[in-house]
Amino acid sequence: MYRRHREEMISKAGIAIFLFGNKRERGKIVAADGMREELAIVRSMGLHIVTAGATGWVAQEIAADFGATLATRSKKFNKAFAVANDPTAKVAEMVKAILTMVNEYREL
């Protein structure tokens, strides 16, 4: 039932933004496998993907995988992607970069 609920919520979106992707399990911080499942749902529904790999964890994995698809995106999008996935970027720069990517998708 939980997966169906997530699928229903995701189906109402056009863009999925992936941040962090970690959780606390038995007192330790570990990768959130649920985020990987959500990525599979997002891909199956054909949603646009925005990653902030600079936040680490699963978002970083997704960004590394997603980077191969950037050839079809604009220079502005690619620059924003680079900032959002640069661990040395400031938070305000990452937020601006994420919004740039979202706005480009909105224009499609």
Side-chain angles (χ1 to χ4, degrees):
M1 181 164 184
Y2 181 68
R3 181 178 170 93
R4 187 177 62 199
H5 179 69
R6 283 192 305 182
E7 288 175 353
E8 183 180 326
M9 288 179 57
I10 292 170
S11 72
K12 296 176 182 180
I15 300 169
I17 302 172
F18 290 91
L19 306 164
F20 301 99
N22 60 342
K23 64 182 180 177
R24 187 175 306 273
E25 190 172 87
R26 297 184 192 126
K28 294 184 178 183
I29 304 295
V30 298
D33 43 344
M35 187 181 229
R36 292 183 184 110
E37 292 171 13
E38 289 167 357
L39 175 64
I41 295 167
V42 164
R43 284 187 167 153
S44 73
M45 293 182 175
L47 275 64
H48 298 294
I49 298 171
V50 172
T51 62
T55 61
W57 296 93
V58 177
Q60 188 174 24
E61 293 174 22
I62 294 169
D65 182 47
F66 184 66
T69 66
L70 295 176
T72 61
R73 305 272 29 113
S74 71
K75 288 182 182 181
K76 187 175 180 180
F77 186 97
N78 279 284
K79 183 178 178 184
F81 180 86
V83 171
N85 293 286
D86 176 358
T88 66
K90 293 182 167 79
V91 173
E93 293 170 334
M94 285 193 293
V95 170
K96 184 177 177 182
I98 291 167
L99 291 174
T100 296
M101 289 185 282
V102 167
N103 285 331
E104 183 166 315
Y105 280 136
R106 288 178 57 201
E107 293 173 5
L108 295 178

